[in-house]
Amino acid sequence: MRPYIVIKQIVDFMMALIGILLLWPFFLIIAVIIKLTSKGPVLFKQKRLGKHKREFYILKFRTMRTDTPSDMPTHLLQDPDFFITSVGKFLRKTSLDELPQIINILKGEMSIIGPRPALWNQYDLIAERDKYRANDIKPGLTGWAQINGRDELTIEKKANLDGEYLSNISLFLDIKVFFMTILSVVKSDGVREGSTDQEVSSNTKGAAL
């Protein structure tokens, strides 16, 4: 194991702990707003793949109705606006819905920077990542692929960027990704909601929905 990986794990835990202590008022406010504006739980849990393809449940603030098709990336829904709540639109645009993943980081399931965790049924992406050993590290809250296209990337390009991150992993690269992520969130770069019938068919092939 590279020395930086050990340091990275310590930094992840410390930053996540500090994040929880500083952001808990925002967690509380968002939770109350979600409960007052839509039916269902505050948090959304979804099965994802972590390091070495171990399954875990990622946590997010719920941004969609409870009758939304499960285990399908939102950008593959034909009519996402129908399912996304009014508060959810704001949370997704600002990426505030991702904040509960700080808990996943504290539990050691995720890192701050790394490949975004694939859905358990995204077989094409998982297979492509295997080619670059990108499934051998912890997934991240944000990553190299997220600041280089996000939803607009093809599966092949996304996996290639994940492998590129693994090959060049360093403190400098993590800092670069962190600050570029903030810029991308402000600009809403690469965010795409909804798709065509053809995209849904090709991207969820073999998935048990």
Side-chain angles (χ1 to χ4, degrees), residues 83-168:
F83 296 105
I84 299 175
T85 65
S86 56
V87 173
K89 290 179 181 179
F90 172 76
L91 294 177
R92 296 172 74 88
K93 184 176 182 180
T94 57
S95 292
L96 289 173
D97 62 315
E98 309 283 358
L99 282 181
Q101 286 161 52
I102 293 176
I103 298 172
N104 291 118
I105 296 172
L106 283 173
K107 293 171 65 178
E109 297 167 333
M110 291 179 61
S111 181
I112 295 173
I113 311 296
R116 282 297 292 163
L119 281 163
W120 65 273
N121 58 10
Q122 287 182 293
Y123 304 121
D124 290 348
L125 176 59
I126 295 165
E128 281 296 317
R129 282 179 171 173
D130 274 338
K131 297 177 182 178
Y132 303 98
R133 298 184 60 191
N135 291 312
D136 293 345
I137 58 174
K138 288 182 183 179
L141 183 62
T142 185
W144 186 236
Q146 277 56 55
I147 62 172
N148 284 285
R150 200 170 173 176
D151 294 336
E152 296 176 349
L153 297 172
T154 63
I155 287 174
E156 291 78 11
K157 181 61 177 176
K158 187 178 294 184
N160 179 266
L161 287 168
D162 291 334
E164 194 174 292
Y165 170 77
L166 178 59
S167 298
N168 297 282

Side-chain angles (χ1 to χ4, degrees), residues 3-18:
Y4 174 63
I5 298 296
V6 178
I7 297 173
K8 181 180 173 73
Q9 292 173 346
I10 297 172
V11 171
D12 282 337
F13 181 82
M14 294 304 298
M15 289 190 66
L17 185 60
I18 292 171

